Amino acid sequence: MPCESMQKPNQSLAQRREEVTKAVARIVSLLVSGKAKAKVGPQGAIAFDGISAEDRDGVTDNCAYRRIMSTGSALARATIAKAEQLAGRSVDRMAVGRGIHSHDGGATWHRGH
């Protein structure tokens, strides 16, 4: 995954993979507990609000979404489904793939840069 390739200095790929796994687990925990919220943008992009930079550990919303949908808990996926219902649209996998994202928890949206 792209977020695994964003290694820190002197960090192996295996160490980064473990770091990403732990960060996504923290994000899932925050979503399930209600301390973080999923938001779906007008283009179908996903953002997670209420997650600190420390909890993210360099993992983007798009990467977290991909991990959650492929290996995450059913409760986290249900939280995302609820956000889709509230927004009146589904997460668009093409928008996720194009890198449409938010830097402020879904208040504004940007194209991949």
Side-chain angles (χ1 to χ4, degrees):
M1 286 205 163
C3 51
E4 292 172 352
S5 65
M6 299 184 327
Q7 295 163 265
K8 297 173 184 165
N10 300 319
Q11 184 180 43
S12 71
L13 184 56
Q15 289 169 325
R16 180 60 183 160
R17 282 185 181 142
E18 183 178 332
E19 204 172 66
V20 169
T21 299
K22 288 179 182 178
V24 172
R26 285 191 299 271
I27 292 168
V28 165
S29 175
L30 292 168
L31 284 171
V32 170
S33 71
K35 293 178 182 174
K37 303 282 184 219
K39 293 184 179 180
V40 179
Q43 331 74 345
I46 185 85
F48 298 110
D49 190 24
I51 302 170
S52 70
E54 184 179 315
D55 284 332
R56 287 181 186 278
D57 202 5
V59 175
T60 65
D61 292 335
N62 289 338
C63 184
Y65 170 77
R66 286 186 203 109
R67 281 282 186 111
I68 290 168
M69 297 312 285
S70 66
T71 63
S73 76
L75 290 174
R77 289 193 304 267
T79 300
I80 292 169
K82 184 176 180 181
E84 290 174 324
Q85 287 177 333
L86 290 172
R89 64 188 129 327
S90 297
V91 173
D92 181 351
R93 294 192 196 309
M94 296 296 285
V96 171
R98 285 191 306 266
I100 298 173
H101 62 282
S102 175
H103 290 283
D104 52 15
T108 58
W109 299 89
H110 313 279
R111 298 227 181 261
H113 39 196

